[in-house]
Amino acid sequence: MNAIDRKFFKEATKTRIEALADVCRNNRDSYKLDCAVDAAVQGRPAYWHSDSWSNSAANIIIGRANLTGSLDEAFASYVKDFGERDYWKIIHQLDATIPLNRPAAAEMVAIYSRLGHMRDVRELLDREAEVITNKLSRTA
């Protein structure tokens, strides 16, 4: 991929995530957005979430996942810093998480599997379109 392609891909990815954040009505602060864009553009697992800005746990976990490249590490560091009492069960956070690429969906499949739930990559990748469609239909 040449420099022009990379720049176009980065801008298109940023626009896509901004639109998703707008539909979900969640905080798309520039740092969190840049972390998600950079992860996606670099081919690392990249995530967003469907909860509103008031779910501070989701904001922290998704931010850390995009920085570290691992949702698993993000969950572990959140529990270490804040304790389990301060955040929903992992399954609830997973259900609110939107994978932005195939590596993210694959990691989520592994985490769901460890928790005894079946998900597949395609189902998780379709989550973005489902969230947009459902949220827009509720506001129409």
Side-chain angles (χ1 to χ4, degrees):
M1 187 182 308
N2 64 35
I4 294 171
D5 290 339
R6 253 187 242 102
K7 182 171 174 38
F8 175 77
F9 180 65
K10 185 171 185 170
E11 289 305 312
T13 301
K14 182 176 182 179
T15 300
R16 174 181 152 219
I17 297 170
E18 286 174 331
L20 181 59
D22 288 344
V23 168
C24 294
R25 300 206 187 332
N26 60 26
N27 184 6
R28 63 176 170 119
D29 64 80
S30 58
Y31 181 71
K32 186 172 98 173
L33 178 65
D34 288 345
C35 289
V37 171
D38 288 345
V41 169
Q42 293 171 16
R44 295 187 328 238
Y47 303 92
W48 203 257
H49 65 89
S50 61
D51 283 340
S52 70
W53 59 270
S54 63
N55 181 351
S56 58
N59 282 302
I60 293 168
I61 290 166
I62 295 307
R64 288 180 180 183
N66 286 326
L67 279 173
T68 66
S70 171
L71 189 58
D72 241 350
E73 285 181 31
F75 282 132
S77 70
Y78 186 89
V79 171
K80 180 180 174 228
D81 290 347
F82 299 102
E84 291 189 56
R85 61 175 169 54
D86 290 326
Y87 92 116
W88 300 349
K89 292 181 182 253
I90 290 175
I91 192 71
H92 296 129
Q93 292 293 358
L94 278 172
D95 288 343
T97 299
I98 302 168
L100 299 175
N101 56 16
R102 187 168 291 281
E107 183 181 23
M108 288 176 67
V109 166
I111 296 169
Y112 270 117
S113 180
R114 268 199 327 269
L115 296 172
H117 297 269
M118 285 290 296
R119 299 289 188 278
D120 63 40
V121 169
R122 181 81 258 146
E123 170 193 0
L124 294 174
L125 289 173
D126 288 344
R127 190 176 279 181
E128 180 179 345
E130 290 169 12
V131 165
I132 291 170
T133 302
N134 289 337
K135 295 223 183 223
L136 284 177
S137 67
R138 278 189 251 148
T139 59

